[in-house]
Amino acid sequence: MKITTKQSVLIPVKFFSWFKFPLKLSEIRRYQWKISAQEYEINKIVTKHLLLESKKDVVSIDVSAKERIDRTDRAKLLWGTVEKWRKLFSWVPYISQVYVSNTLSYNNAGRNSDIDILVVAKAGRIWTSRAAMLVLMNIFKIRVQSRDKWNKFSPEFFVSDRAQNIKNLSIDDDYYLSYWLADLVPIWPDGEHKKFRQENSWFKENLPNAWISPRIRKDFVLLKPNFARNLLENFLDSRMGDNLEENLYRKQRQIIIRNTKKLGVNSSVVTNRDIIKVHFNDRRESVRDAINETLDQTVAKDKSDIKLAVTN
């Protein structure tokens, strides 16, 4: 379906309203879908077709401006936790990049929000990396456990450094994945984007403005792997390390499959040598269908308005 400028504005408003987060006009321009209009054009569309919430320059569908303020305030607490525990990743063997993803990446935190992270690790060692990270996070009690999610890390997405392009994981009209990629915030080794974003440059066709304005954290200084991690990696760069990776792959995969059967609702789980994606409730199709339904309604309304104008 060809996207009109009006629809390209409506898509991000609907998407972020789904996640209870009103957008500012400048953010709508950043998140415009497939089209790059000027801010005055967006303002004209918003003024004519949408409600500007409480004169606070935020736009949403059935979400108040106060909701955004509350969520932004809670996000500050979660970012404080990220900053506090960044050094932990210097202990985890074989990882090369860590990103904050999902709602926290754009400062949107609900009352029970966790800290979703994406991890890029060395090919042939991602299951070793995952096991080490889970052990460390469990020791310090900072990993999500069942319903205990608030302000805890959720390391449920790992990719190897040889399989960083994740386009094959996308679905038709995958608004969720494109916005997810656009808002990734690098947190280790520093606040700058590395290879992962370049490998997924395909999403810039969907979000041309977001592509040229990536989220970065200049305040996150460079953190290097520590001495203990380097020793461990040297020790595991051997046949023994290969055997350990194989055993960890089989054991963790069995646990994930068992939990998927037990907890999965609309699960999206991938467990292979290069990708570990453990999402027991994947909302991408629900989000897509809600947005497309809204777009269909606007198309129908526009046709009706044209017909009425011709009749008159």
Side-chain angles (χ1 to χ4, degrees), residues 131-251:
M133 185 174 293
L134 297 188
V135 167
L136 287 171
M137 287 186 172
N138 286 337
I139 288 173
F140 292 106
K141 299 181 180 179
I142 57 172
R143 181 194 171 201
V144 167
Q145 296 289 347
S146 187
R147 296 182 181 180
D148 182 18
K149 296 174 58 177
W150 167 250
N151 208 14
K152 302 288 181 67
F153 286 91
S154 180
E156 306 302 346
F157 203 161
F158 285 69
V159 298
S160 81
D161 54 13
R162 69 184 173 196
Q164 296 187 57
N165 186 333
I166 59 171
K167 187 175 183 178
N168 64 325
L169 298 179
S170 66
I171 62 175
D172 292 337
D173 295 332
D174 204 335
Y175 306 111
Y176 195 117
L177 185 58
S178 289
Y179 284 123
W180 184 90
L181 285 166
D183 281 336
L184 287 174
V185 180
I187 63 171
W188 194 92
D190 54 23
E192 297 287 346
H193 282 281
K194 307 299 180 184
K195 187 179 179 183
F196 182 83
R197 193 171 189 277
Q198 293 295 329
E199 288 287 321
N200 289 280
S201 61
W202 54 267
F203 83 83
K204 68 181 177 182
E205 180 181 344
N206 296 331
L207 299 170
N209 290 333
W211 168 256
I212 61 176
S213 57
R215 294 194 180 276
I216 57 176
R217 293 288 300 250
K218 293 289 187 182
D219 56 322
F220 283 174
V221 298
L222 178 66
L223 296 175
K224 297 181 179 180
N226 60 33
F227 183 68
R229 167 180 156 166
N230 290 333
L231 282 179
L232 181 60
E233 288 181 355
N234 289 335
F235 181 69
L236 292 177
D237 285 340
S238 61
R239 179 63 63 84
M240 185 174 67
D242 293 338
N243 293 336
L244 177 64
E245 174 75 7
E246 182 67 22
N247 289 331
L248 290 172
Y249 163 69
R250 294 183 182 280
K251 290 180 180 179

Side-chain angles (χ1 to χ4, degrees), residues 79 114 157 289:
W79 278 114
D114 54 13
F157 203 161
D289 294 345

Side-chain angles (χ1 to χ4, degrees), residues 43 51-52 100-101 114 118 121 174 204 221 223 226 252 275 280 301 312:
N43 188 39
L51 176 66
L52 211 60
V100 162
S101 64
D114 54 13
L118 163 72
D174 204 335
K204 68 181 177 182
V221 298
L223 296 175
N226 60 33
Q252 291 180 78
I275 299 176
F280 296 128
K301 185 178 184 303
N312 291 339

Side-chain angles (χ1 to χ4, degrees), residues 111-123:
R111 296 184 183 279
N112 195 32
S113 286
D114 54 13
I115 303 168
D116 290 305
I117 58 174
L118 163 72
V119 180
V120 180
K122 182 179 178 181

Side-chain angles (χ1 to χ4, degrees), residues 37-55:
Q38 296 300 312
E39 198 160 319
Y40 78 88
E41 297 177 86
I42 296 171
N43 188 39
K44 185 177 178 180
I45 292 170
V46 167
T47 302
K48 184 176 180 180
H49 299 286
L50 296 167
L51 176 66
L52 211 60
E53 171 66 31
S54 303
K55 297 182 180 180

Side-chain angles (χ1 to χ4, degrees), residues 248-300:
L248 290 172
Y249 163 69
R250 294 183 182 280
K251 290 180 180 179
Q252 291 180 78
R253 189 169 180 273
Q254 288 176 356
I255 294 172
I256 292 170
I257 292 173
R258 185 166 63 245
N259 287 338
T260 302
K261 293 178 181 178
K262 180 180 178 181
L263 304 172
V265 180
N266 297 305
S267 60
S268 176
V269 174
V270 181
T271 53
N272 59 44
R273 308 289 181 175
D274 289 306
I275 299 176
I276 310 168
K277 182 178 182 292
V278 186
H279 295 139
F280 296 128
N281 184 15
D282 190 333
R283 294 175 288 181
R284 287 184 296 166
E285 289 189 5
S286 298
V287 171
R288 177 199 63 192
D289 294 345
I291 291 174
N292 285 346
E293 181 181 357
T294 300
L295 295 182
D296 290 342
Q297 291 171 355
T298 62
V299 170

